[in-house]
Amino acid sequence: MDQHRKEDVLILGIETSCDETAASVVKNGREVLSNVIYTQIALHMQYGGVVPEIASRKHIEKINQVIEEAMRQAKVTLADLSAIAVTCGPGLVGALLVGVSEAKAISFASGLPLVGVHHISGHISANYIEHRELEPPFVCLVASGGHSHLVAVKDYGVYETIGRTRDDAAGEAFDKVARAIGLGYPGGPKIDRISREGNPHAIAFPRAKVADNAYDFSFSGLKSAVLNYLNSCRMKGESFCQADVAASFQKAVIDVLTEHSMHAVAEFGYDKFAMAGGVAANSALRASLEKECLVRGIRFFCPSPVYCTDNAAMIGTAGYYEYIRGVRSGYDLNAVPGLKL
Ligand code: KG4
Ligand code: ZN
């Protein structure tokens, strides 16, 4: 390898927290040399959602090939690397264990340092990849299949969670509503697409407020309202318009996410706002937040869709900032399904 300097920091990132087996080589925190993702979506589609046991088995089958491919595309060998970064939580425990065990084995065999990375820290750090100018502090909305968090990013790897969901995550609501209206799994991208043909004002779905924290979210009431609407249509023998239900539901989610995000930005007085997680790939949500940021003179950041959904480049980037701060994990690193940010 001759294209890199000795002082370059090359991190191999590994991500297996849910249904994507992913590996990536990231140079100096922000340059992605490879980003290989084996997605299991097709496998889980027939069950209408991720089956944890099947996800773990597929990870163990694919992980070595995915890592080999990431190393090959990046044109590096283990000797070129500075460290191995791996998602150690939160996520599905069996799925996480595959990545953690793999990373430990490589670390043990090669002597490379090991860095455990929080999955949400990874999602947030995905913003650094394509926005070289982005530096903390900023407010970040993290909306994925498992999480809806509003986070004050005070420094690299230094987070204050200011709001979270009390029940369903935003992506979970997308997936459940999609299933209910017959769109199937994974619901987010399908609702995103069909909503473009629907009227977002067709049905008045609720925008839930959480009494004791203005930044917290609740999406289960909205999900129930959609299910009630569908049931009442069925009982009356009426058909419903898939696109209108999707668009009205999506608008309700976007309104709440946008309002809380802008409230947080104002409260913290930061001039930057970022989005992260699978739901950040939603075109209408991106448009809504970008517009509101523009009105307020706030700089808006959002990763490309491929860096919004689960990937290992974001883990390599988050791992880089941990690594240069001197963070190292021991061989006792474990998978922690409910790891706090
Ligand atoms: O970040 P991610 O890949 O995995 C988790 O960490 O959970 O997020 C997956 C979630 C799923 O719920 C999926 O439906 C949602 O992100 N999603 C979307 C879109 N693309 C993915 N939701 C809304 N619109 C999209 N375009
Ligand atoms: Zn994720």
Side-chain angles (χ1 to χ4, degrees), residues 16 191 201 246 278 319 328:
T16 63
I191 290 197
H201 307 288
R328 303 289 182 271

Side-chain angles (χ1 to χ4, degrees), residues 112-154:
L112 285 167
L114 180 68
V115 181
V117 171
H118 193 289
H119 186 72
I120 300 297
S121 175
H123 274 302
I124 294 169
S125 303
N127 279 286
Y128 300 134
I129 297 170
E130 296 161 296
H131 306 295
R132 303 269 163 117
E133 71 283 19
L134 175 62
E135 287 184 0
F138 57 93
V139 169
C140 188
L141 168 69
V142 188
S144 72
H147 313 274
S148 302
H149 278 42
L150 259 175
V151 180
V153 182
K154 305 207 151 167

